[in-house]
Amino acid sequence: MTKRKHQPTSLELDRALDRIYTQIAQLFSYYYWDATIKNSVVSTVGAPESDPRVLLVQNGIVSGFFLTLRKLHEFFEGKTKGRALQGDVFASDFPGFQSAGGFLSKDDFTILHKEIGHITIPEKTGTDISGEAFQACVAAFERVTEFLNYLEHKFISDERKPRFTKWRSFIDESMDAYRTAFKSEQDDADNPENSPENSKDHTDD
């Protein structure tokens, strides 16, 4: 990427790290909502998943997840000199890091931009985005891993290592849990007779 007018200093990049960690961690917001939080909310509210209060929270999480994808895509893709603003931070700003670029195709990015910035006619009914969300996380995580490896070995000071390690552990553990949960979901879909629901039904018989 062309060196820009407002190139962040090393100190400014260091100050931006917590925001970068948080944005990366938000890749898993939809997973945690769907896997561990939604049922508790439904139980607490005492209403079905279609209750407006539940849908409001879920739609906010989905919108936030889409926005995170866009932010991280642009973080790894970088911006041209004319479009980069003072205060913006991109992966390529970090000295010695060679960013492989964004992780979304042009078509995917256009769809994402419409989803975030416009009220659109849905392509299908329902709110489930589990398959798309997982695939997007996998694509983003490849770039994230490269960047975190760089930070660990070439940028983070010893003083900042404990905080980095805490964030990286959470991010890696979240991706591992997401992979396991998604694989289990796919296995159940491929073999419905082995799903927990069917097993329970047979037990009840």
Side-chain angles (χ1 to χ4, degrees), residues 45-129:
V45 172
E49 292 183 22
S50 58
D51 184 271
R53 291 166 292 180
V54 178
L55 291 178
L56 281 173
V57 175
Q58 175 166 288
N59 290 342
I61 291 169
V62 170
S63 294
F65 170 73
F66 286 155
L67 187 57
T68 291
L69 287 177
R70 175 177 172 175
K71 285 184 177 182
L72 288 176
H73 173 78
E74 291 185 341
F75 174 74
F76 289 112
E77 183 182 50
K79 283 192 175 181
T80 61
K81 181 178 179 182
R83 293 182 62 203
L85 303 176
Q86 185 171 6
D88 285 352
V89 177
F90 304 102
S92 54
D93 290 328
F94 286 77
F97 181 71
Q98 299 296 318
S99 177
F103 50 87
L104 297 171
S105 69
K106 185 176 180 180
D107 287 344
D108 286 341
F109 186 80
T110 298
I111 293 171
L112 188 64
H113 176 73
K114 285 180 63 178
E115 190 70 36
I116 294 169
H118 306 268
I119 297 177
T120 60
I121 299 171
E123 296 291 330
K124 57 183 179 181
T125 60
T127 57
D128 180 62
I129 61 162

Side-chain angles (χ1 to χ4, degrees), residues 30-46:
Y30 178 78
Y31 160 67
Y32 280 119
W33 162 255
D34 193 56
T36 66
I37 298 172
K38 179 168 64 176
N39 287 341
S40 296
V41 172
V42 169
S43 177
T44 300
V45 172

